[in-house]
Amino acid sequence: MIYLDNSATTKPDEQILKAFVQANKRFFANPASLHEMGVESNSLLGRSRQQIAQVLNTTEEQIVFTSGGSESNNFIIKGLARANTHRGKHIIVSAVEHASVLETARALEHEGFTIDYVKVDHQGVIKLDDLKNKLTKDTVVVSIMHVNNEVGAIQPIQEIAQLVHEESRAFFHVDAIQSFGKLPIQFAGEQGPDAITISGHKLNALKGSGVAAFRKRVTIEPIIHGGGQEMGLRSGTVAVPQNVVLAKAIRLADESRQENSAKYSAWRNDLHAFLEPFTEVYVLSSNEGAPHIISCSIAGIKGEVLINAMQANGVIVSTSSACHSKDSKVSHVVQAMGVPDEYARGVIRISFGKDNTDEDIAELKRVFEKVLKQVKGEVKKYEMA
Ligand SMILES: Cc1ncc(COP(=O)(O)O)c(C=O)c1O
């Protein structure tokens, strides 16, 4: 099987798995324990935190380990909003955020916060004017993702950060889950984002690991209360082995970013050129988008029909996002981009990972062409019936 659903999750790297087993064997002690074994676990955890801080250009006190991207997004948005109500109770997110941001914002609405959704253009890129108009003196959190998980649109993070800092007192959070390891993110300096989110399983590390990282000290409320681990910000016995390999994966992803991005960009451009002559195919992603995601749709064909047919031919792709794969509703991202109706239900997403090869992409093209002929036949039969 050729796996091209790396935006949903990635296969854990061999060296990550080995390191995980080793860390579990040697450093299983609770890092909060005072005995020697606990002290050793804790010092390994500290080194991992340091490594991540170094890659992200911040300090180790600003790194909080969590259970993954969804928890990090919840923690940062809820935590900053609830702890800073004196600044205001207005939150801004983009219309194309991941559910873990949108649903968090919706939950805060029940606590008296008002939410505004920034519009996007037909490529999924936010309208800066709209953001500017929505910022008020009451805005407390702005959360806008770096790379969209469904279509790969890249948001102009530095410009957004500048705008948010110039026009408001709000904290600016960036969900960098799809961008980390593919695009650089400038975190340091007064004009950077205030907080970013990373998830381990998108980086060939393990599911159930993630980071909430801050540029500098902020006032934030925890969402998980208990024993006060993670500087009192995230209680629960810290998963040392998960976090040790997360640090390793973050370092590896950062070191190989340029090489991988160049490889993915070449494949993406090649696929764009390949898809262009098919008049029935609508490509939602642009060549200016993220290098590793390309989504497209065939008029009148449901996404699940396409992915099943591709799977039967040995190629794994997904509908526009794994979270939407079990319902056939049009995704909010596709809606916000104004994708024409006949294409809106049929979006499939192809996402590359570090294990893919040129041969995989050649096979993908061969299978796509074959499946396209098959499904077009199906549509004709359906129309005649
Ligand atoms: C952009 C984005 N944000 C958040 C998440 C959630 O991350 P996790 O699966 O680690 O909870 C995902 C996962 O698909 C994502 O793509």
Side-chain angles (χ1 to χ4, degrees), residues 7-8 68-70 73 98 100 145 147 149 175 177-178 199 201-202:
S7 282
S70 296
N73 284 346
H98 185 264
S100 56
M145 69 204 323
V147 164
N149 51 306
D175 172 343
I177 288 169
Q178 291 290 344
S199 170
H201 74 99
K202 312 283 184 185

Side-chain angles (χ1 to χ4, degrees), residues 6 21 40 46 54 87 95-97 103 108 120 125 130 162 184 195 206-207 221 232 253 288 306 309 316 323 375 381:
N6 290 281
V21 171
E40 276 183 2
Q54 201 174 7
R87 291 194 186 199
V96 295
E97 292 303 306
E103 293 304 321
L108 286 169
V120 297
V125 179
D130 193 39
Q162 204 174 343
L206 301 172
K207 288 156 191 70
E221 259 188 31
E288 275 114 61
L306 272 180
I316 304 285
C323 308
V375 293
K381 267 194 264 162

